[in-house]
Amino acid sequence: TTRTTPTTDSAAARAARGTPVVHTIGYEGSTLDAVLATLHRARVALLVDVRAVAMSRRPGFAKSRLAAGCEGGGIGYLHLRD
């Protein structure tokens, strides 16, 4: 199951104040479609990939496929490494 981490202050309330909203998400045991659906439900505009090496053995989660899936679904993608 894919889920974002809840916070004490609602994301909608922070967004209304102009405060950036940060969610975390994992993809273990999930599909790319399920992750993208979760991001859409959370109204995520930009996925920031913080993996040191944006590679994965899981289908769809290597950098190029993940970026294409995000951008195809209207979500920006940015890979930030150390």
Side-chain angles (χ1 to χ4, degrees):
T1 306
T2 304
R3 61 181 178 212
T4 57
T5 303
T7 60
T8 54
D9 191 12
S10 80
R14 288 193 314 272
R17 291 192 307 266
T19 304
V21 178
V22 176
H23 297 279
T24 62
I25 190 167
Y27 63 92
E28 176 93 22
S30 192
T31 65
L32 179 58
D33 288 340
V35 168
L36 293 174
T38 300
L39 296 174
H40 278 285
R41 280 193 305 278
R43 297 185 178 165
V44 170
L46 175 66
L47 175 66
V48 180
D49 188 346
V50 296
R51 298 176 291 176
V53 178
M55 294 176 60
S56 178
R57 293 181 203 163
R58 297 200 43 81
F61 292 99
K63 181 179 178 176
S64 59
R65 294 266 326 266
L66 182 56
C70 285
E71 292 167 4
I75 298 171
Y77 174 88
L78 175 64
H79 180 225
L80 293 180
R81 348 167 216 233
D82 288 333

